[in-house]
Amino acid sequence: MDETRGRITRDGIRIHEDADFAGMAAAGRVAAEILDLIGPRVAPGVTTEALDDFIMQEVTRRGVISATIGYKGYRHVSCISVNHVVCHGIPGPKTLKDGDILNIDVTVIVDGWFGDTSRMYVAGDLPRKSERLIQVTHDALMKGIEAVRPGNTFGDIGHAIQTYVEAQRMSVVRDFCGHGLGRVFHAPPNVLHYGRPGTAAVLEEGMFFTIEPMVNLGRPETKVLADDWTAVTRDKSLSAQFEHSVGVTATGCEVFTLSPAGLFHPTWGRAE
């Protein structure tokens, strides 16, 4: 893949060209379409490996490439993180129970461009405390996106997320962050979901990166299990995450991974 176009800032962040936005939008749309289709299949009694199998079928049917299969030895097309799993949950034979919440994270490669997104789902009825956690996490992502425009800093993004979450008496995970992407899966910068205004690198038109806050009902500390992938909350509190891939435009940002069906939030599109 050609990752030579555009320039690199002194912080190591690639500045992409105008034409590159279309490639990212196409990749992001495919990832979002797949996540739109998985929603009706999330239900009590379903295994996370069955959900992963469905996603694999969709990736194959569309003729695109999974970015995660083979990445550092990972063997699945998605990460599925249930309840107190913060991120990088491995699909397996365990069945979902009524009231379980889960994040499903999918990254596909379309014509060399990486589309990376995740969102929350619920199996069965959504408990009130889980509903509030999901809403706060979603709104925190949106507040981070609102801070994306040329001249602002990555610290402004993190500050917007952190102050909102902590005002709701929840915590932002510090151990994992968003990242640059484009024709590579992970690249500078690290996009922290906490921080001080006016700090870190300045946003410039043409930067592509993910914003993917992880929010815990309890404390922010995490630990990685013996499989070297699964990250959980140390206090076993519930955790939620939403992720969009974005590109900085002249006046703000373009979100590449919007849900075509308007289903990014687990309660959107449900019958009242």
Side-chain angles (χ1 to χ4, degrees), residues 101 126-136 265 267:
I101 61 171
L126 181 59
R128 177 68 187 109
K129 68 176 182 179
S130 301
E131 182 178 18
R132 183 166 177 269
L133 170 65
I134 288 170
Q135 189 65 53
V136 168
H265 189 290
T267 64

Side-chain angles (χ1 to χ4, degrees), residues 173-192:
V173 170
R174 264 75 164 168
D175 298 332
F176 301 93
C177 61
H179 54 88
L181 80 171
R183 286 188 172 270
V184 294
F185 195 174
H186 295 98
N190 288 333
V191 183
L192 305 182

Side-chain angles (χ1 to χ4, degrees), residues 52-93:
D52 188 71
D53 288 344
F54 173 80
I55 295 169
M56 185 70 252
Q57 293 169 16
E58 284 299 310
V59 167
T60 302
R61 183 176 71 83
R62 294 161 186 269
V64 299
I65 299 169
S66 166
T68 53
I69 292 179
Y71 179 77
K72 296 184 178 180
Y74 196 73
R75 296 185 294 176
H76 301 274
V77 75
S78 66
C79 292
I80 302 181
S81 304
V82 183
N83 291 335
H84 73 289
V85 178
V86 175
C87 60
H88 303 157
I90 301 174

